[in-house]
């Protein structure tokens, strides 16, 4: 590990209604469901066992409400960071993939092209490459400014997935091979040679409610 490093505890926000139907959810400012608030409380209990130096959050309500719940037991103030915002899904925000591809043949082709090319932005939005650039820049800035710290970053699926892929040295085309459930925890020791410690842990939530148990390929 390099001389500058930070332990980044990457938390996906608690559940919102749109998560239940697997909708693209970018900058639309949805609030947590009752289940999402319970998940945030479980996160707070679990993460209270860690020596957390700061809680940093995307400004969107679903992330900020999760972050404030996590920060409460330690008496920490939540710091807002726009680079933790979800991918800007532009024209697709709030719609499911099935809804977008069913709109027209052109929309179906645009979805397929976007999935194949990480440099291609969503219509009216941004690309996975742009998203990864901003979250990697944030991780680098945090390691320089707060070397040796344990930082909880409360964000969204896209930023966390792209940061994990950067840490693993994998191409962005592998993004579809990782799924992150709401209110789960991933951990990266970020430095010039990052180490991934944990991915999509929901031990604090239990296995009974894990969606992947009831889903095949």
């Amino acid at each position: 590990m390099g001389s500058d490093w930070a332990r980044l505890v990457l938390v996906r926000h608690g559940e919102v209604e749109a998560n239940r139907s697997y909708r693209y959810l970018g900058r639309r400012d949805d609030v947590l469901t009752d289940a999402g608030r319970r998940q945030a409380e479980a996160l707070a209990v679990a993460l209270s066992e860690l020596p957390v130096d700061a809680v940093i959050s995307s400004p969107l309500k679903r992330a900020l409400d999760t972050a404030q719940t996590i920060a409460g037991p330690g008496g920490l103030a939540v710091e807002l960071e726009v680079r933790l915002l979800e991918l800007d899904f532009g024209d697709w925000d709030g719609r499911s993939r099935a809804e977008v591809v069913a709109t027209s043949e052109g929309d179906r082709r645009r979805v397929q092209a976007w999935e194949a090319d990480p440099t291609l932005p969503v219509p009216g939005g941004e690309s996975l490459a742009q998203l990864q650039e901003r979250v990697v820049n944030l991780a680098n800035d945090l390691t320089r400014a707060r070397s040796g710290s344990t930082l909880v970053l409360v964000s969204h699926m896209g930023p966390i997935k792209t940061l994990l892929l950067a840490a693993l040295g994998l191409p962005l085309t592998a993004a579809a091979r990782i799924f992150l459930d709401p209110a789960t925890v991933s951990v990266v020791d970020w430095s010039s040679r990052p180490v991934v410690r944990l991915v999509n842990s929901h031990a604090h939530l239990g296995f009974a409610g894990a969606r992947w148990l009831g889903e095949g390929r």
Side-chain angles (χ1 to χ4, degrees):
M1 193 173 295
S3 57
D4 288 335
W5 72 279
R7 177 155 291 162
L8 305 182
V9 180
L10 309 173
V11 176
R12 188 185 177 199
H13 61 78
E15 180 196 75
V16 299
E17 191 65 37
N19 296 151
R20 296 178 178 177
S21 49
Y22 299 97
R23 295 181 178 275
Y24 297 127
L25 190 60
R27 305 300 171 82
R28 200 176 80 175
D29 211 5
D30 291 18
V31 299
L32 298 177
T33 61
D34 289 342
R37 285 188 285 273
R38 290 193 296 271
Q39 291 169 343
E41 291 167 0
L43 279 164
V45 173
L47 297 180
S48 67
E49 299 181 16
L50 299 180
V52 176
D53 296 295
V55 178
I56 306 169
S57 177
S58 156
L60 292 173
K61 290 176 183 175
R62 57 191 185 271
L64 180 56
D65 288 351
T66 302
Q68 289 173 332
T69 303
I70 291 169
L76 296 171
V78 175
E79 303 173 32
L80 297 183
E81 174 53 71
V82 296
R83 286 176 288 183
L84 290 174
L85 282 165
E86 179 59 289
L87 179 80
D88 185 347
F89 276 105
D91 297 346
W92 301 346
D93 208 353
R95 303 167 69 190
S96 69
R97 183 186 187 280
E99 288 171 347
V100 176
V101 300
T103 302
S104 68
E105 179 63 20
D107 285 295
R108 183 183 69 81
R109 290 176 179 171
R110 278 187 280 274
V111 169
Q112 292 175 336
W114 174 72
E115 291 172 341
D117 184 356
T119 68
L120 189 67
V122 175
E126 67 180 332
S127 69
L128 282 177
Q130 291 170 317
L131 170 60
Q132 186 179 64
E133 181 180 14
R134 63 176 160 88
V135 294
V136 168
N137 286 340
L138 171 61
N140 289 335
D141 287 347
L142 289 172
T143 59
R144 285 190 292 267
R146 309 192 192 196
S147 184
S149 298
T150 295
L151 307 173
V152 173
L153 307 187
V154 185
S155 188
H156 311 266
M157 186 186 290
I160 297 172
K161 285 173 67 168
T162 56
L163 194 61
L164 288 171
L165 291 172
L168 293 167
L170 295 175
L172 282 169
T173 50
R177 299 190 180 192
I178 301 175
F179 192 86
L180 302 172
D181 293 283
T184 51
V185 177
S186 302
V187 178
V188 177
D189 286 346
W190 190 267
S191 70
S192 58
R193 300 183 65 183
V195 176
V196 175
R197 300 288 185 185
L198 193 67
V199 176
N200 198 44
S201 173
H202 52 76
H204 52 289
L205 305 175
F207 279 99
R211 291 186 299 178
W212 59 266
L213 283 174
E215 298 176 356
R217 287 183 57 85

